[in-house]
């Protein structure tokens, strides 16, 4: 219902954002083994599992945006644009590239490294094992396609923030996205001194203007037909399961965009006594104390935790 409400503008934001007082958050002191045992039990007994996943999960899975993975692969970009700005792939994505040739020179490499080249990573395939025999739905702010690669049903995934594999009109003049895999490979082969040749710069087929990555980073993000269908399927899934025993399994969702997964998940637990929340988060595994046993906050190595949960659920 949440996304339908957002689309129709009916949401009461004050209510939505303020439903959990900050003072209610606690780091649980339970032993790790107990938390994993209880998590597995909740999942085994659940009618359905809703998986909510943010950037922290892909970092834990191995797609690190900084460190050696960045400095090794983007050395010429760091040299050209300066290490003060080029600190990691997140910062590099926001660099004000001086031309379309420079912009696509960077983004084609970023997309190949984070979306097209990596295989399905173990954290995601193990996560799939955990839910594959259950009713499930995935809500994610990640744009790296890992859920699709790991075998999750595409009809049960709602990736709200876009896809590194797609491009759109920069001014969103029409609500369509375009598959860019082939184009990015061509750019990658032709790139020289961090720039792609002008003839490979994509132009909007409708207005003739510049194109952009299909990522929610400004008000011009295109929510295409597939996006709306996924939003509706998610809303329907929530509606169909609203009175059932539901486990909300949240991985690596921080406070960058908490209104998409983190806060709505907490709101659902607050409003439904048959819901429980499993929160895996390296630094921010705080959970509302008032949820009591219905919340489990696991702050240790996420990849290990998923392996351990899988071992008990299967
Ligand atoms: Zn256009």
């Amino acid at each position: 219902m949440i996304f339908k409400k957002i689309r129709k503008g009916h949401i009461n934001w004050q209510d939505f954002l303020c439903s959990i007082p900050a003072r209610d958050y606690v780091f649980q002191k339970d032993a790790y083994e107990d938390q994993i045992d209880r998590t597995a039990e909740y999942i085994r007994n659940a009618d359905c599992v809703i998986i909510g996943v943010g950037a922290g999960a892909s970092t834990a899975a191995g797609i690190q945006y900084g460190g050696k993975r960045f400095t090794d692969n983007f050395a010429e970009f760091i040299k050209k644009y300066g290490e003060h700005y080029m600190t990691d792939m997140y910062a590099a994505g926001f660099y004000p590239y001086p031309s379309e040739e420079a912009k696509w020179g960077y983004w084609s490499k970023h997309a190949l490294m984070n979306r097209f080249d990596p295989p399905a990573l173990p954290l995601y395939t193990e996560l799939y094992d955990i839910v594959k025999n259950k009713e499930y739905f995935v809500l994610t702010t990640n744009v790296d396609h890992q859920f699709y690669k790991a075998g999750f049903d595409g009809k049960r995934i709602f990736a709200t923030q876009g896809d590194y594999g797609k491009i759109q009109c920069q001014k969103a003049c029409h609500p369509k996205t375009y598959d860019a895999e082939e184009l990015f490979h061509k750019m990658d082969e032709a790139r020289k001194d961090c720039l792609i040749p002008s003839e490979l710069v994509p132009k909007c087929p409708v207005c003739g203007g510049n194109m952009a990555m299909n990522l929610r980073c400004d008000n011009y993000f295109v929510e295409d037909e597939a996006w709306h269908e996924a939003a509706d399927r998610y809303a329907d899934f929530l509606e169909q399961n609203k009175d059932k025993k539901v486990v909300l399994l949240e991985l690596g969702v921080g406070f960058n965009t908490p209104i998409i997964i983190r806060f709505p998940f907490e709101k659902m637990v607050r409003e439904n006594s048959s819901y429980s929340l499993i929160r895996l988060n390296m630094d921010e595994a705080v959970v509302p104390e008032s949820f009591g046993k219905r919340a489990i906050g696991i702050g240790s190595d996420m990849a290990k935790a998923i392996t351990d949960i899988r071992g008990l659920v299967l």
Side-chain angles (χ1 to χ4, degrees), residues 51-161:
I51 303 174
V53 173
S58 281
T59 307
I63 304 184
Q64 282 99 13
Y65 276 19
K68 202 169 150 39
R69 189 167 180 268
F70 177 64
T71 53
D72 281 1
N73 289 291
F74 288 87
E76 62 169 335
F77 291 85
I78 297 168
K79 197 167 166 225
K80 187 177 178 80
Y81 299 114
E83 59 186 24
H84 183 68
Y85 299 102
M86 293 275 149
T87 53
D88 54 54
M89 283 181 245
Y90 189 75
F94 283 101
Y95 186 83
Y97 294 99
S99 66
E100 289 298 294
E101 288 80 358
K103 176 176 97 179
W104 293 110
Y106 175 78
W107 276 108
S108 53
K109 189 167 178 72
H110 182 113
L112 289 172
M113 278 209 62
N114 298 308
R115 158 73 165 80
F116 293 107
D117 292 348
L121 298 166
L123 186 147
Y124 286 94
T125 54
E126 291 182 1
L127 191 56
Y128 179 58
D129 284 342
I130 291 171
V131 298
K132 68 184 176 190
N133 296 320
K134 301 199 81 82
E135 281 291 311
Y136 69 83
F137 206 98
V138 173
L139 176 67
T140 183
T141 51
N142 291 356
V143 291
D144 55 24
H145 223 61
Q146 277 292 320
F147 282 102
Y148 298 87
K149 291 181 188 176
F152 287 81
D153 177 357
K155 296 256 183 289
R156 291 167 179 267
I157 302 169
F158 179 21
T160 66
Q161 308 300 79

Side-chain angles (χ1 to χ4, degrees), residues 169 173-174 204 206-209:
C169 171
C173 78
H174 64 294
C204 174
V206 175
C207 72

